[in-house]
Amino acid sequence: MSLSIDQQARATKAYISQQLGKSPSSTGILADEDFIHRLNTNFITIYAIFAELYGYRNDCLDQLVKLVTLMGESWKDRPSDLKVLDKERESNSGWYLSNDMLGGVCYVDRYAGNLEGIRAKIPYFKELGLTYLHLMPLFLAPEPLSDGGYAVSSYRHVKPELGNMEQLRFLAKELRKNGISLVVDFVFNHTSNEHMWAKKALAGDSEHEAYYWIFPNRNVPDAFERTTREIFPDDHPGSFIQLPDGRFIWSSFHRFQWDLNYSNPSVFCAMATEMLYLANVGVDFFRMDAVAFIWKQMNTDCENLPEAHKLLRAFNSVCRIAAPSILFKSEAIVHPNMVVQYIDTRECQLSYNPLQMALTWEALATRKVSMLSQALERRHNIAQGCTWVNYVRSHDDIGWTFADEDALELGNNGFDHRRFLNAFYVNRHPGSFARGIPFQDNPRTGDCRISGTTASLAGLESGHPGALSRILLAYSVAMSTGGIPLIYLGDEVGQLNDYSHLASPSTMDDSRWANRPACPEDRYAQRHDPSTVPGKLYAGFQQLIRLRKATAELAGGRAVGFHTENPHVLGYQRPGGSACATTVLCLANFADGPQWVSAQRFVGLPAEAYDLVSEDVVNLHDDDGIQLRAHQYAWLRY
């Protein structure tokens, strides 16, 4: 009679306990009741995944012993204040779903010089209302071949020009004291070719050669490349590059970023060790970089494979055992059907919302909301206990990630519509207000993606009169649809494109550096002056943030569609649910002129609602309906 998975897991755990009991240094792990309780709860997930992915290997059990040991050692080393935080968040597991949550993101060097500079800005972060701070890649990465920090050569060292690991540890503690969670990128699909593991692999060390996908000739690479796509064809063709010694290594992205081999359980254990080390430094959230690429399988495109999800669940279980307050945020800029597959309390509790971001800009260009409205109704609501991170702009380019089939339902040809949006946002379309820059432009096909800051894309750089209201309109959607709104720091004062990257050989060919400018200190100095552009914009941001934090209906992520029957006006409802009996109806006018919503659309609603934005009582049953000014947004509570 075969054993069930539960029985196998119990037997394996008993074997692991026996092995740990043989080591004097590990006996303390078995005596820690908190650790053992969480191990008992979560081990079956790790066991089942290891058995499926690695069960054919004769070292599978040994690797499980190693993994449990490293988890136990990490828990033993976890600072006491973080263990207190673990307890608090375990008892309030939905803390990150609060309407009080507000995110900010920046590059340490560009925004504040170094980690000490970031610490000095904590008073400003509190003034703005941040509770979540994402510091863009700050770990050691060789220059100039760093891919903006995504080619990590050491997860245990901060770039020297930014500071050191002790300063990061102190910063995390100071942020925590001020109610701000720290978010960092965990680049776990690949390492830099300068990483210690990569150097050992290149030198012929057999243990570390097995950390990567290395082959002596083109036979296996050619077989893989029949079904994989080229990510950066300008950097190298295919998925493999040739090493100086003639061998071939998998390199999905740039030639200096070598893909890790997760079919080797030693790689999983090694990366789990690095993750737990950073968790004990004080990181609260990991942005899981390039999650779609982490598993390779012949005769597939090696993207979004089921094994990638299983690995995420195993990493998540590792954290539930040894650093239970840690949460994951997925980064998957793929088809919307694929994005949602990573969003699960057992995988990534948070996810970027690239579709809403892209369709907000689509609506600003077309002045029509059909695609954004469709996405909110069809694709917004996700698994309970999970939430979106809603952003308007980021460090990256804008890719038009909507589904062609969704566009076609609304009469839009996906290919043609993307060409229009690209032309509009790089000022190649008549009447464009945008000053975006092409990224990976292909003039022959019209295909490209878009770089640029929020302000420059919204018309502030071109001097368009609707620029400020467009920026606030876009952020009103991010603040109210459901999820954690994320501000690219500088947006709140109207930061423009930075063209200085053109002067550097290492950045001149990457237009994304235009939307990674240095901190605009002159604009921040004007933020309290209502006669200035930064002052007007900052006041608008402050109102949105204050309203969001005071509006209980905006907690969580559930949104209910509301059809305004006006092609220019977006509508959606945020029901308070069990938290409160009221509902907030959000209306947003994407037209450049006033628009009406007919009174017939409000049949069945109370006669009056209170507009949280204007602080006016609105008669919903007025025969004329409701008029919205150009780019006006209203949050109507009833």
Side-chain angles (χ1 to χ4, degrees), residues 75 78 82-91 323-325:
W75 173 250
R78 191 159 172 78
L82 293 180
K83 289 184 176 180
V84 170
L85 184 66
D86 292 332
K87 287 278 191 185
E88 291 174 358
R89 290 182 175 171
E90 281 181 308
S91 65
S325 60

Side-chain angles (χ1 to χ4, degrees), residues 90-110:
E90 281 181 308
S91 65
N92 180 23
S93 59
W95 63 274
Y96 52 93
L97 304 175
S98 166
N99 55 298
D100 192 53
M101 291 294 290
L102 176 70
V105 57
C106 66
Y107 281 90
V108 174
D109 54 343
R110 308 291 285 169

Side-chain angles (χ1 to χ4, degrees), residues 124-300:
Y124 171 69
F125 298 151
K126 291 187 69 178
E127 174 191 315
L128 186 59
L130 295 190
T131 61
Y132 163 118
L133 179 64
H134 183 171
L135 299 180
M136 296 300 293
L138 68 166
F139 300 115
L140 197 62
E143 296 295 348
L145 303 180
S146 71
D147 187 29
Y150 289 100
V152 177
S153 56
S154 173
Y155 299 90
R156 303 211 174 200
H157 295 87
V158 170
K159 296 176 187 175
E161 62 270 24
L162 302 183
N164 56 50
M165 198 57 79
E166 282 309 306
Q167 288 174 313
L168 180 61
R169 195 185 308 272
F170 183 62
L171 172 62
K173 183 173 286 192
E174 289 296 298
L175 289 169
R176 202 157 50 248
K177 285 179 183 176
N178 287 278
I180 302 172
S181 298
L182 176 62
V183 189
V184 302
D185 295 87
F186 190 61
V187 184
F188 74 131
N189 174 71
H190 49 264
T191 71
S192 162
N193 60 352
E194 293 293 313
H195 194 284
M196 174 185 65
W197 302 339
K199 288 181 176 179
K200 288 183 177 181
L202 189 62
D205 178 86
S206 59
E207 177 187 353
H208 290 90
E209 284 177 328
Y211 275 36
Y212 301 92
W213 295 86
I214 301 176
F215 301 97
N217 54 49
R218 286 290 316 180
N219 293 342
V220 175
D222 285 345
F224 270 114
E225 287 181 353
R226 290 190 192 105
T227 52
T228 58
R229 66 185 176 105
E230 294 180 350
I231 307 300
F232 290 143
D234 292 344
D235 186 81
H236 65 87
S239 299
F240 287 82
I241 62 163
Q242 190 167 20
L243 297 173
D245 60 14
R247 294 180 296 167
F248 293 86
I249 190 167
W250 201 308
S251 180
S252 291
F253 298 100
H254 293 99
R255 60 178 54 250
F256 49 83
Q257 293 165 301
W258 295 355
D259 288 39
L260 288 164
N261 178 7
Y262 279 99
S263 69
N264 176 2
S266 291
V267 171
F268 183 94
C269 291
M271 291 303 286
T273 303
E274 302 305 284
M275 177 184 287
L276 292 178
Y277 171 80
L278 294 174
N280 283 357
V281 168
V283 171
D284 296 283
F285 295 85
F286 287 113
R287 172 189 174 272
M288 307 299 277
D289 182 67
V291 294
F293 296 87
I294 58 176
W295 189 263
K296 325 295 188 191
Q297 187 170 311
M298 193 72 75
N299 300 318
T300 73

Side-chain angles (χ1 to χ4, degrees), residues 518-625:
C519 181
E521 296 290 0
D522 55 336
R523 287 181 173 269
Y524 276 111
Q526 300 174 53
R527 71 183 185 275
H528 297 303
D529 183 349
S531 67
T532 65
V533 167
K536 292 173 183 175
L537 196 54
Y538 188 72
F541 268 82
Q542 285 281 277
Q543 183 196 31
L544 280 170
I545 293 165
R546 186 171 60 252
L547 287 176
R548 172 181 161 78
K549 289 177 179 283
T551 305
E553 296 91 335
L554 300 186
R558 182 168 173 256
V560 177
F562 183 88
H563 295 276
T564 66
E565 302 299 333
N566 182 320
H568 309 289
V569 179
L570 180 68
Y572 48 94
Q573 301 170 86
R574 298 298 315 282
S578 58
C580 56
T582 51
T583 292
V584 171
L585 168 61
C586 300
L587 301 174
N589 178 15
F590 279 77
D592 292 338
Q595 295 292 318
W596 289 88
V597 180
S598 167
Q600 293 180 344
R601 301 312 307 151
F602 304 110
V603 171
L605 297 185
E608 291 184 340
Y610 181 71
D611 184 2
L612 300 170
V613 179
S614 67
E615 301 183 350
D616 292 328
V617 175
V618 177
N619 182 358
L620 297 180
H621 293 175
D622 189 298
D623 290 343
D624 294 329

Side-chain angles (χ1 to χ4, degrees), residues 1 37 49 56 111 123 141 159 224 358 425 518 535 560 591 612 626:
M1 183 178 69
H37 171 72
I49 292 168
Y56 68 95
Y111 193 72
K159 296 176 187 175
F224 270 114
Y425 278 107
V560 177
L612 300 170
I626 292 179

Side-chain angles (χ1 to χ4, degrees), residues 381-401:
N381 293 325
I382 52 178
Q384 189 172 3
C386 297
T387 192
W388 293 111
V389 175
N390 295 319
Y391 61 109
V392 174
R393 281 299 292 118
S394 72
H395 70 288
D396 219 342
D397 55 276
I398 298 176
W400 307 109
T401 58

